Amino acid sequence: STSGGGKKGGVGRVADVMAGIGPFAVPLAVKHGVEVWANDLNPSSYQYLKKNIQINKCGSNIKPFNLDGREFIHYLSDQGVAVDHVVMNLPAIAVEFLDAFRGWKVPGCRPRVHVHCFVKGAEEGTEEKAAIARCERALGCGLDMKEDEVDVHWVRDVAPKKPMLCVSFLLP
């Protein structure tokens, strides 16, 4: 079954909140036929996103937006847009945008959120817990490891004691 609004058993619709020029959105649309609602605040990135969509002939699968990340999340909620996954890949500040999901109004839609973040200064071995705690603070609620299917994976080290992690969970 699906938690969002896409096709049963697969990924039907993804919201890319900080899409840039489309490094996640375009391959999802082209290679996997996924419907992507792709957003970026930067007008230049938005223009290149649209150009990238045109070059890759995937305009029927990608809906581009030029909004602030919070506005975009509120727009999806207000319009009742059910999504299966939400990608938030702006590691310096993406976690701060999780507060926009408070009061999510799409009935029956519990998307899997993938938020990229840096973890600075955490003691070795506590980085994953620190990343989850940051997400919980921004969401304004706890995450249940089992019920919310919380998963953390290490993306890469960007500097000593500054790993980039991706925290994935079902929206509580």
Side-chain angles (χ1 to χ4, degrees):
S1 78
T2 181
S3 59
K7 43 192 178 191
K8 194 170 176 88
V11 178
R13 187 180 292 149
V14 171
D16 191 344
V17 180
M18 296 126 178
I21 63 169
F24 286 98
V26 171
L28 282 169
V30 172
K31 294 180 182 173
H32 304 287
V34 174
E35 179 184 339
V36 183
W37 292 48
N39 175 70
D40 203 87
L41 174 62
N42 181 316
S44 182
S45 294
Y46 172 68
Q47 291 305 319
Y48 281 107
L49 170 62
K50 292 196 310 185
K51 186 171 185 160
N52 206 355
I53 291 167
Q54 183 181 26
I55 289 168
N56 287 282
K57 299 177 176 71
C58 55
S60 62
N61 285 35
I62 300 181
K63 296 180 189 321
F65 293 84
N66 184 209
L67 300 170
D68 169 78
R70 277 185 189 83
E71 284 179 59
F72 180 63
I73 293 166
H74 291 151
Y75 174 82
L76 296 172
S77 181
D78 293 343
Q79 297 298 313
V81 178
V83 294
D84 297 291
H85 293 267
V86 177
V87 176
M88 300 174 75
N89 185 23
L90 191 58
I93 61 171
V95 170
E96 298 168 24
F97 287 79
L98 290 172
D99 66 348
F101 286 104
R102 295 178 188 184
W104 179 254
K105 298 183 253 189
V106 184
C109 176
R110 193 171 179 213
R112 187 153 184 79
V113 178
H114 309 274
V115 61
H116 294 74
C117 61
F118 295 127
V119 179
K120 297 181 218 167
E123 290 218 14
E124 195 169 326
T126 67
E127 298 91 350
E128 292 183 7
K129 284 184 180 175
I132 292 168
R134 285 184 62 205
C135 291
E136 290 174 326
R137 280 192 300 276
L139 288 164
C141 65
L143 288 169
D144 182 283
M145 295 298 287
K146 189 173 181 178
E147 185 182 317
D148 299 324
E149 299 178 15
V150 180
D151 178 57
V152 182
H153 76 267
W154 209 276
V155 177
R156 62 188 170 100
D157 286 318
V158 294
K161 296 209 178 258
K162 187 180 176 185
M164 183 195 308
L165 304 179
C166 179
V167 181
S168 299
F169 55 87
L170 290 175
L171 187 63

